[in-house]
Amino acid sequence: MKTQVAIIGAGPSGLLLGQLLHKAGIDTVIVERQTPEYVLGRIRAGVLEQGTVDLLREAGVAERMDREGLVHEGVELLVGGRRQRLDLKALTGGKTVMVYGQTEVTRDLMQARQASGAPIIYSASNVQPHELKGERPYLTYEIDGQVHRVDCDYIAGCDGFHGVSRQSIPEGILKQYERVYPFGWLGMLSDTPPVNHELIYAHHERGFVLCSQRSHTRSRYYLQVPLEEQVEAWSDERFWKELKARLPEDVAARLVTGPALEKSIAPLRSLVVEPMQYGHLFLVGDAAHIVPPTGAKGLNLAASDVNYLYRILVKVYREGRTDLLQQYSPLALRRVWKGERFSWFMTQLLHDFGCHKDAWDQKMQEADREYFLTSPAGLVNIAENYVGLPFEEVA
Ligand code: APR
Ligand code: PHB
């Protein structure tokens, strides 16, 4: 098979890049290791920045999001008994976020791919990129033990944190920056109405809590838990009891409980590799960077990378601007690092680090909470990052 851009991975990054390029008349082949059902079974975050929403509209996959997604103009932060609503719209000159699950974004993109008739290969094993530094890169993969080959101009590595793309870059090229946190998030999804019409991020001495949602009838809650915690130890009853214990009384009193549809624990981690390009291979999304979920930036940073790579490739194919290819990594990374900073900052601000922070750092954390939640400039700072910083022009 021959194509212009071969895409490894059919998560949100690969599917969105594929859809945008298809609309621009650029041929792609997507090769994914898992089945579509498996990809859709993963429950991930659900807050889309304004820029991500705009990009999904540009890709022509926003119809259901615009119908079913919930536009949120504010978010609540609860710290030390103080309840501070951030009026995102007022603080950012009119920007908002869209609450719409990543699973739904992925489903819409999969349907668009199918409708377009552009090739997508699921259940491909042993996917390998080759000749990344040469003029004729290609991919190989296996289906039922048979090896297939895709020749291409460029390869987009959209295969997530555990993918093959980053690993196929020779040792010594990438520099890795990493921060691990001494706790994880226990998430629970339930068909119960959300406890609040907006998201609540709460710091509590028992640990951080997030009250999120997927719709008016489906809630998503998270509890900070120790890293060694086992999900089996958390009955529904225990989860609800602990959640109530970490929320203010009036909020806890109106919490509607019900059976869990899903429960899982995810460790928190920040990681970036630089550069995000090696020859004709471009790393996109989780393949190049991971954020802790506190700032809701994972999917949005993936969309940010897609935005830049898509605009560059369009200029490459339409105007012969191959000089722009080297711009991808620095452009993408400038925005990635700001997203990393915000995710790290929100994680620091809102979690209980217990013995993992020394006395000085704990005081700094308290001062940050006091300052950012009381100063108008502090509130603007959080709000403008939460709704998403602007994209740079590709020129
Ligand atoms: N070959 C082919 N496909 C692969 C391989 C491989 N060797 N390894 C991984 N994949 C596939 C995975 O099965 C997955 O479907 O690549 C896809 C990567 O998708 P994601 O992990 O969702 O990454 P991305 O598309 O960059 O989306 C970023 O996902 O993890 C969240 O917080 C993150 O919300 C953000 C979003
Ligand atoms: C979610 O709804 O799953 C969610 C929302 C906001 C976050 C993280 C996760 O910051």
Side-chain angles (χ1 to χ4, degrees):
M1 216 179 332
K2 198 166 171 15
T3 193
Q4 289 174 303
V5 182
I7 298 175
I8 308 179
S13 298
L15 288 165
L16 180 56
L17 182 66
Q19 174 67 11
L20 286 160
L21 292 176
H22 172 77
K23 279 201 79 182
I26 297 168
D27 287 341
T28 58
V29 171
I30 303 181
V31 185
E32 161 65 49
R33 165 162 79 177
Q34 305 288 355
T35 63
E37 296 72 33
Y38 183 94
V39 173
L40 285 175
R42 294 187 289 230
I43 305 209
R44 299 253 173 89
V47 177
L48 308 181
E49 292 173 356
Q50 185 85 56
T52 305
V53 167
D54 293 343
L55 197 61
L56 289 166
R57 289 188 184 135
E58 189 175 339
V61 290
E63 195 209 332
R64 194 162 68 96
M65 174 193 76
D66 281 327
R67 203 171 56 239
E68 296 177 12
L70 307 172
V71 174
H72 280 208
E73 296 184 359
V75 62
E76 287 197 26
L77 298 183
L78 263 68
V79 173
R82 178 189 294 124
R83 197 157 164 186
Q84 178 66 54
R85 176 174 185 268
L86 264 72
D87 187 334
L88 297 172
K89 199 170 182 180
L91 290 165
T92 63
K95 289 189 185 166
T96 56
V97 292
M98 175 82 81
V99 171
Y100 189 65
Q102 178 173 321
T103 313
E104 304 313 315
V105 172
T106 309
R107 197 188 308 277
D108 297 343
L109 284 163
M110 277 181 176
Q111 277 173 6
R113 184 78 188 178
Q114 201 177 11
S116 75
I120 180 161
I121 294 127
Y122 285 102
S123 308
S125 56
N126 199 18
V127 180
Q128 294 288 343
H130 305 270
E131 295 293 330
L132 298 175
K133 280 292 208 186
E135 280 307 304
R136 299 184 198 288
Y138 63 97
L139 282 188
T140 51
Y141 63 92
E142 289 173 27
I143 302 264
D144 297 332
Q146 260 219 311
V147 181
H148 300 259
R149 171 171 170 149
V150 183
D151 290 284
C152 57
D153 303 327
Y154 304 105
I155 298 176
C158 303
D159 47 352
F161 185 55
H162 301 287
V164 65
S165 301
R166 190 179 69 253
Q167 287 160 26
S168 52
I169 297 175
E171 241 176 80
I173 302 281
L174 297 179
K175 184 158 167 58
Q176 182 166 308
Y177 301 83
E178 187 175 20
R179 171 94 359 148
V180 290
Y181 303 90
F183 41 73
W185 277 19
L186 167 63
M188 183 214 246
L189 190 70
S190 68
D191 273 334
T192 53
V195 70
N196 193 46
H197 72 290
E198 292 175 343
L199 269 63
I200 299 178
Y201 290 79
H203 168 78
H204 190 277
E205 58 197 15
R206 296 177 71 94
F208 167 80
V209 180
L210 169 58
C211 304
S212 183
Q213 54 190 264
R214 292 287 177 274
S215 69
H216 294 306
T217 55
R218 182 168 284 189
S219 302
R220 178 78 168 154
Y221 296 108
Y222 296 95
L223 296 174
Q224 175 189 348
V225 292
L227 262 187
E228 57 281 3
E229 201 66 49
Q230 299 292 316
V231 72
E232 295 74 32
W234 286 85
S235 64
D236 293 359
E237 199 189 353
R238 182 176 174 205
F239 187 97
W240 291 119
K241 196 165 166 234
E242 183 62 27
L243 182 60
K244 282 186 182 176
R246 297 186 192 185
L247 289 171
E249 269 176 33
D250 60 319
V251 180
R254 56 171 208 261
L255 181 74
V256 180
T257 63
L261 301 173
E262 190 261 3
K263 265 195 232 109
S264 53
I265 296 182
L268 268 67
R269 173 182 219 168
S270 302
L271 183 141
V272 180
V273 295
E274 290 189 353
M276 287 170 60
Q277 176 192 3
Y278 176 71
H280 288 211
L281 170 71
F282 299 87
L283 300 178
V284 180
D286 274 24
H289 43 77
I290 300 286
V291 286
T294 326
K297 290 287 170 244
L299 174 59
N300 292 301
L301 286 183
S304 172
D305 295 350
V306 168
N307 169 74
Y308 288 126
L309 187 56
Y310 155 63
R311 294 193 198 288
I312 288 171
L313 287 172
V314 166
K315 284 188 189 281
V316 167
Y317 282 107
R318 289 197 186 148
E319 302 165 25
R321 292 286 310 276
T322 46
D323 60 299
L324 288 175
L325 292 165
Q326 286 141 348
Q327 290 302 314
Y328 169 68
S329 179
L331 260 178
L333 280 165
R334 273 201 289 277
R335 203 162 176 287
V336 163
W337 274 116
K338 290 175 208 148
E340 291 282 348
R341 187 209 66 81
F342 181 65
S343 306
W344 164 85
F345 164 78
M346 290 290 276
T347 303
Q348 297 278 335
L349 192 74
L350 295 171
H351 288 76
D352 180 43
F353 281 74
C355 59
H356 297 280
K357 258 194 196 303
D358 65 20
W360 176 266
D361 284 346
Q362 293 207 15
K363 285 289 179 194
M364 290 300 103
Q365 187 187 23
E366 282 168 27
D368 266 351
R369 285 187 198 127
E370 188 67 34
Y371 167 68
F372 277 95
L373 296 189
T374 54
S375 146
L379 295 175
V380 168
N381 179 315
I382 296 180
E384 74 166 350
N385 281 282
Y386 194 78
V387 299
L389 296 171
F391 292 125
E392 288 179 59
E393 285 289 317
V394 174

